[in-house]
Amino acid sequence: MLNRALQFITYDDLAAAEADDAVGGHPDYFVPNVWPEQLSGFRTTWKAYGDAARTVARELMGLFALALDLPRDFFEEPFSKDVTLFSVNLYPPQPVDEDYFEDVILNPHADSGGLTVLHQRGTYEGLQVREAGGGWVTVPLREDAFVINIGHLMSRWTNGRFPATVHRVVAGPDTSAERQSIAMFFLPNVDQVVSPVPTTVGAEGPRFAPISAYDWQQQFMREVVLVNTYAEPEPVA
């Protein structure tokens, strides 16, 4: 069982996005954030965390650019008005029998965006990442570290050179085990068109067709989230 305790995006509402010239023709994307105003400092604290996590992601995107033989600032403009999503998740103790250990409580999937900056804590190591060979590797639980996953858009941007990180969450070893996570899905400008960068495309041509961040999010919601399953992104025919 997964409880989503809080979700918010970079812009609090449509007015904030319009003021920053970030709407890009898609006003329906900017659903207002809901903050519990009765909790003093709650919104300020989470906004500060969001800014810090986005700074980490921008540094990482610069390193990805260099690894792709691109200028370090290649991804700065595509993320200049980022519509990043934050999700704070609780995995409470599971009231189940002993055979439940390693039952999947968050199905295998890869995230939609550029990078995911994830902080996790709890009483057990529940996050697992799929290996190239199909097996699963448990991610160590460290409160002083972030887990960085590659999303579908980054995979498309790199023509599959950096594949999206398929992962899942499993139940703990006993019925008292619990887990918490803060996931930041680093998403580009809502109207940014993503297509394989030239340094990743050989004579065979690009594997993925161009798609806007907005259209990809809509497709991801329809084909992955709503049907609660995972499929590799379709390459160009």
Side-chain angles (χ1 to χ4, degrees):
M1 180 171 61
L2 164 64
N3 291 335
R4 197 152 279 137
L6 173 70
Q7 279 193 321
F8 63 97
I9 66 171
T10 307
Y11 297 98
D12 267 341
D13 51 31
L14 177 58
E18 289 175 335
D20 199 32
D21 195 25
V23 176
H26 301 290
D28 58 303
Y29 186 90
F30 299 92
V31 178
N33 293 329
V34 178
W35 300 101
E37 299 298 341
Q38 69 273 23
L39 298 179
S40 177
F42 187 89
R43 177 181 178 278
T44 302
T45 298
W46 279 109
K47 283 288 192 178
Y49 176 86
D51 290 343
R54 287 162 66 218
T55 297
V56 171
R58 292 183 195 284
E59 287 295 319
L60 290 170
M61 293 300 290
L63 295 178
F64 272 102
L66 293 177
L68 295 166
D69 296 320
L70 299 167
R72 186 169 188 142
D73 62 357
F74 181 86
F75 293 107
E76 287 185 7
E77 179 56 32
F79 286 86
S80 61
K81 311 288 184 182
D82 66 281
V83 292
T84 294
L85 171 67
F86 294 82
S87 183
V88 183
N89 303 312
L90 305 177
Y91 301 80
Q94 306 294 318
V96 293
D97 59 38
E98 61 183 10
D99 294 331
Y100 194 72
F101 178 55
E102 286 212 343
D103 274 7
V104 176
I105 55 178
L106 184 60
N107 285 339
H109 67 286
D111 299 327
S112 67
L115 299 177
T116 299
V117 178
L118 178 76
H119 179 67
Q120 57 172 348
R121 61 180 60 192
T123 62
Y124 78 103
E125 296 175 338
L127 178 64
Q128 297 182 339
V129 174
R130 193 176 72 182
E131 296 179 297
W136 293 96
V137 176
T138 298
V139 178
L141 187 67
R142 290 189 52 169
E143 293 191 10
D144 63 343
F146 288 115
V147 179
I148 309 298
N149 290 333
I150 295 173
H152 280 298
L153 278 182
M154 194 62 183
S155 183
R156 298 178 74 101
W157 240 326
T158 64
N159 207 35
R161 180 178 298 182
F162 297 138
T165 308
V166 179
H167 56 284
R168 67 181 185 180
V169 175
V170 298
D174 55 60
T175 56
S176 68
E178 60 181 356
R179 180 176 180 272
Q180 307 88 39
S181 70
I182 305 171
M184 187 203 76
F185 307 106
F186 195 47
L187 294 163
N189 308 351
V190 71
D191 58 349
Q192 175 65 41
V193 175
V194 173
S195 57
V197 297
T199 57
T200 64
V201 179
E204 71 283 0
R207 293 179 57 203
F208 301 101
I211 191 169
S212 73
Y214 176 86
D215 288 340
W216 170 250
Q217 284 295 100
Q218 301 301 306
Q219 180 179 328
F220 183 82
M221 289 295 294
R222 288 193 309 269
E223 299 179 2
V224 179
V225 177
L226 295 182
V227 298
N228 199 28
T229 188
Y230 175 75
E232 299 288 350
E234 290 293 331
V236 175

